[in-house]
Amino acid sequence: MNELFTVPVLLGILYSGVRLATPYLYAALGEMFAQRSGVVNLGVDGIMLMGAFAAFFVVSNTGNLLLGVLAAMLVGLLMGLIMSFVSVNLQAEQGISGIGLYLFGLGLSSLLFKKLSVSTRAIEGFPALPIPVLSDLPEIGDVFFKHNILVYIAFALVPVAAFVLNHTTLGLKVRAAGMKPEAADSLGVSVARVRYLCVTFGSMMAGLAGASLSIGLINLFQENMTSGLGFIAVALVYFGGWTPLGVMIGALLFSMVNALQLWVQVKAIPIPSDLAVMLPYILTIAALVLGRRARQPAALSKPFSRGEN
Amino acid sequence: MTLLPTGRARIDELRMVGITKRFPGVLANDGVDFDVRAGEIHALLGENGAGKSTLMRQLYGLYKPDAGEIRLNGAARRFNSPSDAIHAGIGMIHQHFMLVPALTVAENVALGLASSRGPLLDLDRVSKRIEELGERYHLKVQPDAQVWQLSVGEQQRVEILKALYRGAALLALDEPTAVLTPQEVGEFFKVLRRMAEDGHALIFISHKLHEVIDISHRVTVMRDGKVVATHPTAGSTRERLAGEMVGRPILLEYDKPPVPAAAANEVPRLEVEDLHVRGDRGRDALRGVSLSIRSGEILGIAGVSGNGQRELAEALTGLRRVTRGRVRVNGRDLTHATPQQRIAAGQSAIPEERMKDGVVRDFSVSENLILQDHGHAPYSRAGFLNTRAITRDCAALVKDYSVKTPALETPTKNLSGGNIQKLILARELARKPTLLICAQPTRGVDIGASEYIHQRLLEQRQRGMATLLISEDLDELMALSDRIAVMYEGRLMAVLDRADATPAKLGLLMAGVAA
Ligand SMILES: Nc1ncnc2c1ncn2[C@@H]1O[C@H](COP(=O)(O)OP(=O)(O)O)[C@@H](O)[C@H]1O
Ligand SMILES: [Mg+2]
């Protein structure tokens, strides 16, 4: 056990924790916007898989990382439009349609992966980009300031998201649409437009989350490579009390426990590995049970209509 | 062009012509003509379901008329969404508040408006303007308070501020007083008069006759989707308006003989001593209520909802545990009795939430009529229902109490509110109870059915039944009660003789001000 608690190991856990938090952060921040506007999108994991595939496919064929990111976000945009149409126009049950979208993404990404005979070799992903001066700081320089660009952007999005939500006219519309859509509607705010925007933005973030895995973290594509990560992202939104800061804390906590679990295995510490793998999920369930429901947007997952005809 | 103090142009005249709106199976508006002018308060009066809200929702761009035209200052206009109506200077206060409880007052006002700082919110500026408007129209609210913390009256002010802030020159108020205390209504009417004096055009929707007479210059009465009358309010009586609303003459004041003096050894029908009961949140909802009702007497309980009336009714019908105190019915201690024991002791009840506690929605009319009595003769024997006896008695009850239903087998949820209430009344009074615990007997019930229900209650009073009448409708309390008690924060503020109970006095007591 003592082996686990040496300074280098702890720094290692911190470093991987920050790195691993990236896909969660993109996906969960995006999902947070969808939910704040009143729509639960359970298709995040499927969108991530499609995004991961698209990014990897483009990069392995063109070598252009930026193009890979754009492809992932484009795929997210398209899938977001589908989810918006189904939940806003068709007023479908959101849980079911989200699961449908997930299965669609899971199946299609695997199918395309097989049919397009995509390379199974690792690509050259986003390189580490040490931040001058800061990365030279002892210990924490390595932990926080020697990551690739996608990691920095993910964390930079946290204050941006909080600002947009709390200090812009758009953010106010989003909050109102998620809490009392009829009030927003009666003031001439188009609830449909706000929800389309948030769901689609959230899905683009999910696509980006997928790219951050396949061309930023692992630099490979595998079938079902997210293994449920998108669902954890949805849970993190609840855990984080629908605030960007809460979501970030949740993502870090979750990925730290995940990193710890990896080290436990690497160091061959005598804990059953199955148990170690379960640890982050147990934590998630515990956090959800203990979490506060009070902050939940009041109209979450309720379709809105004026009731005319 | 004449400007309002808010800096916007007046709407000199709004005219709705031949408005028709159909919903599946309902003609909600049938060729409705309606108009209002600057400086005027025009009341729109009608029973529930007459089509008032539907008419206003078309004016506000929420529904599109199937036929007809809306003219502002003589020019035909088409409103496809609330923002079109808002831009044209029309504001609306909805029957149910359109406020986001978790947002601040300023945020609720700013919602959907362009900001002076582009995409960024400018709540400081909004707050300042809210205070200016509040000053001018006596609509004081704290701009940074969260809406859920506000009283209902304050929330109402926020709704009006929202409209004024958007420069509404015409304001449609859909049953704005339904949730206010008499005190708050007084304040609110001052605000409306002020706005009208400034040149706003106001549409005031209500089904409360005295309010319409009090506040409006003209009144339009609607019935079944049609306009039945439009005339100046001055000179109209409540009886005339009620008659127009219902389509037949209506009695609003009842003759009732006084309660005979008590015999020396008379036992009160209901005696409550120092009753304590916990509310849903664990705090004391009743904090020492004592009262007594004699045979042939109706004791009214007035009060703003949420002051313990619901808990009182539940405690007296065995649905809520009494933590302290005593309840005696006809001299017998029933403090902790079950509902069945109370029924056996001659007590009946009309619950506040008739759809939840009064009937089983999916049961048929006859099943609901024998809900409590199905377990004994003549309705069942040895566990088998006697359908012949049930049908015979239920048919008689439905006829006696003029419950309008297609058949005895009709699911109760298909009946109108008034008819469901008559059904409950039939069931509860058929037992010839000696005591009736009766909560909000005519809430949401149209005037015709209300009058009927009142007559039936008075008939039972004649027979000697004692009634505890909990109501938020002061007119109802004054028309029926022999004495009126006012409840405030779980206690009785005072018990007044009917002759001493004026609306003003009751209003003060309801606000917690001791006389
Ligand atoms: N959105 C709707 N869909 C179907 N029927 C409706 C709708 N809104 C109102 N109605 C019906 O139209 C009639 C008029 O309703 P409403 O305008 O709300 O009456 P009021 O405001 O006078 O009480 C009622 O019979 C009601 O059931
Ligand atoms: Mg209405």
Side-chain angles (χ1 to χ4, degrees), chain A residues 306-309, chain B residues 23-24 26-29 46-55 57 63 95 174-175 205 207 222 225:
Chain A
R306 274 184 204 151
E308 186 184 24
N309 306 329
Chain B
F23 291 115
V26 191
L27 189 53
N29 283 167
E47 301 269 59
N48 280 323
K52 309 178 296 289
S53 296
T54 302
L55 186 69
R57 289 171 78 85
Y63 295 161
Q95 198 165 352
D174 196 350
E175 310 219 5
I205 300 184
H207 56 241
M222 283 184 77

Side-chain angles (χ1 to χ4, degrees), chain B residues 261-273 291-297 327-333 434-435 464-466:
Chain B
N265 57 349
E266 185 188 316
V267 180
R269 287 284 152 99
L270 175 69
E271 268 183 296
V272 176
E273 260 170 47
L291 53 86
S292 99
I293 312 178
R294 293 171 45 207
S295 169
E297 188 187 36
V327 177
R328 269 188 293 269
V329 176
N330 296 321
R332 275 181 55 200
D333 187 329
T434 52
L435 171 66
M465 180 179 80

Side-chain angles (χ1 to χ4, degrees), chain B residues 221-274:
Chain B
V221 183
M222 283 184 77
R223 188 188 335 137
D224 296 334
K226 291 193 194 66
V227 169
V228 289
T230 299
H231 49 75
T233 312
S236 326
T237 59
R238 286 169 62 214
E239 277 72 16
R240 170 172 174 199
L241 293 176
E244 287 169 344
M245 257 166 99
V246 182
R248 64 177 166 84
I250 286 285
L251 272 184
L252 292 172
E253 259 140 54
Y254 311 118
D255 289 330
K256 53 179 206 288
V259 189
N265 57 349
E266 185 188 316
V267 180
R269 287 284 152 99
L270 175 69
E271 268 183 296
V272 176
E273 260 170 47
D274 191 34

